[in-house]
Amino acid sequence: MIPGPTPVHERILETLARPTVSHQYPAFVEAYRECLTRWRRIARSETAQPFVVSGSGTFAMEMALVNLVAPGHRLLVVSHGFFGDRWEQIAQAFGVECDVLRSEWGRAVDADELAAQLDTRSYAAVTVTHVDTSTGVEAPVADYAAILNGREEHLILDGVCATAGIDERFDDWGLDVLLTGAQKALGAPPGVAILAVSPRAMKTRRSRETIAAYSGDWLRWLPIMDDPAKYFSTPPVNEILALNEAMGLVLEEGLTTRLDRHGELAARMRAGLERLGLELFTDASCRADTLSVVMHREGVDDAAFRGAMAERGVVVAGALGPIAGRAFRVGHMGNIGPAEIDRTLDAMGAALSVTT
Ligand code: PMP
């Protein structure tokens, strides 16, 4: 029950056990094509260019930045924690100038603050982490997007801890890049970087002669995304089959039903935590439905508590940054149901009784 990788459904696991076929085998090519089409539906876009390639969420972040923002140009990062801050490090690695609007941990940057910052200067792009997995903060993306509407800044959304668990509307919000990983609310194993790119962002990439990437260059992948029978670099065959199955599950359930289920599971988890006398770290105004960041009771040893939970068969994650040791994180996303929430709460209750 860590906030990713999440439990992988049997139907998805089964695809990993299939014989690995050639990346040009017709049935695989068809599955790859289907995966790209499904991804566009999940992103809710008619026009975005999908990319599904080997890599982690971090690689997808890097790909977005290196294709869109040239060295010496300026990026505005809206950060709600550890993963927001990662954008600054990626920018530094590519010689991109960077300003950061940082919230207090556990709170969200107000949309007015973003508007005020954009009044001071222009940027090549703005990055927003939809749900920062370190703080449990869900960013008010629709409000940010409304401010950016009509402006020249590209809006890059990191959906790694949100996509397929929290509402995301590529076209309605005017996103330029939505990127995500396979291993969270999509419920697939890790290893695939997933991006949707707007026509405007593709145009920006085309306007640049060279970029500081080879295997991360959208233009090298574009022919393969148009026709997956072509070759540029061997795709992770079984991981793509797994992702396609995971996306199939998402669409079979129905996006809206799935998002509602995430809301219900989050409410069930929060109610259970309250019964146990545990408090959430994240401000009530911006709590994500995909995970909970939970404060430890006074005097509880984090490692002992999580160890006691693991002995009862439930793994939760430690906290990061300034709250490391003082809080823990529990995921409630992907292909899980009320039974997993209840079992987690039971294990928590038992762990509390031996550690307090
Ligand atoms: N963004 C967010 C919000 C994340 O939670 C993570 C990983 N937990 C990443 C980016 C990086 O993804 P990965 O670990 O797959 O590189």
Side-chain angles (χ1 to χ4, degrees):
M1 297 295 283
I2 64 172
T6 59
V8 179
H9 191 284
E10 265 181 27
R11 250 176 68 182
I12 303 170
L13 276 181
E14 184 269 330
T15 63
L16 298 172
R18 286 187 204 159
T20 299
V21 294
S22 155
H23 54 287
Q24 289 171 322
Y25 184 66
F28 171 71
V29 170
E30 203 36 56
Y32 202 166
R33 207 188 302 279
E34 186 173 52
C35 180
L36 295 166
T37 308
R38 286 175 171 169
W39 164 225
R40 209 151 82 167
R41 282 179 62 197
I42 291 170
R44 299 195 205 263
S45 181
E46 298 287 328
T47 54
Q49 173 61 53
F51 291 94
V52 172
V53 299
S54 296
S56 61
T58 305
F59 182 69
M61 293 167 74
E62 183 167 325
M63 221 181 174
L65 195 74
V66 77
N67 277 274
L68 277 183
V69 186
H73 287 205
R74 228 175 168 81
L75 175 73
L76 178 61
V77 172
V78 181
S79 177
H80 299 126
F82 183 90
F83 291 102
D85 290 351
R86 181 164 284 188
W87 284 111
E88 189 181 18
Q89 296 163 19
I90 299 172
Q92 276 165 3
F94 289 103
V96 167
E97 303 290 325
C98 187
D99 291 335
V100 185
L101 275 181
R102 207 174 259 118
S103 66
E104 186 190 326
W105 266 51
R107 292 177 178 274
V109 170
D110 204 73
D112 292 344
E113 248 182 276
L114 173 63
Q117 184 63 32
L118 290 168
D119 279 346
T120 67
R121 65 184 316 157
S122 64
Y123 293 89
V126 176
T127 64
V128 177
T129 310
H130 198 169
V131 173
D132 201 301
T133 322
S134 61
T135 53
V137 169
E138 177 181 341
V141 184
D143 296 347
Y144 296 168
I147 287 163
L148 283 156
N149 186 14
R151 291 188 58 107
E152 67 192 29
E153 283 85 5
H154 294 89
L155 175 52
I156 302 174
L157 186 64
D158 168 356
V160 172
C161 195
T163 304
I166 290 180
D167 199 21
E168 293 186 322
R169 299 177 169 272
F170 193 96
D171 288 356
D172 291 354
W173 291 348
L175 299 181
D176 286 295
V177 179
L178 172 62
L179 64 95
T180 195
Q183 72 271 24
K184 299 203 183 228
L186 283 165
V192 199
I194 305 160
L195 299 95
V197 179
S198 71
R200 174 172 88 146
M202 287 307 298
K203 196 167 159 210
T204 301
R205 167 63 195 95
R206 283 199 186 88
S207 72
R208 299 180 57 197
E209 208 151 294
T210 55
I211 64 165
Y214 181 75
S215 68
D217 188 341
W218 289 339
L219 294 188
R220 291 190 194 279
W221 279 110
L222 197 55
I224 289 77
M225 300 301 111
D226 286 342
D227 176 8
K230 292 194 177 137
Y231 168 76
F232 163 53
S233 168
T234 311
V237 170
N238 288 72
E239 278 81 355
I240 286 174
L241 293 177
L243 181 65
N244 187 36
E245 192 67 25
M247 288 185 169
L249 276 176
V250 170
L251 295 171
E252 273 171 37
E253 181 177 8
L255 256 185
T256 311
T257 311
R258 190 176 180 90
L259 303 181
D260 290 348
R261 174 168 62 77
H262 278 76
E264 286 155 21
L265 294 178
R268 193 178 186 98
M269 178 62 82
R270 288 176 200 140
L273 291 168
E274 200 177 316
R275 279 198 302 279
L276 292 171
L278 291 167
E279 283 184 12
L280 292 169
F281 169 71
T282 318
D283 192 71
S285 61
C286 54
R287 280 177 195 155
D289 282 345
T290 44
L291 83 159
S292 293
V293 183
V294 189
M295 294 309 294
H296 275 302
R297 282 190 197 156
E298 199 62 36
V300 168
D301 179 81
D302 175 56
F305 171 80
R306 288 190 290 118
M309 280 195 72
E311 276 172 25
R312 285 155 183 84
V314 181
V315 181
V316 295
L320 301 170
I323 54 170
R326 294 198 293 129
F328 63 96
R329 298 175 303 145
V330 51
H332 28 84
M333 61 185 140
N335 296 314
I336 57 156
E340 282 84 357
I341 302 290
D342 293 350
R343 188 168 167 211
T344 303
L345 289 165
D346 286 348
M348 247 178 233
L352 278 175
S353 67
V354 296
T355 52
T356 41

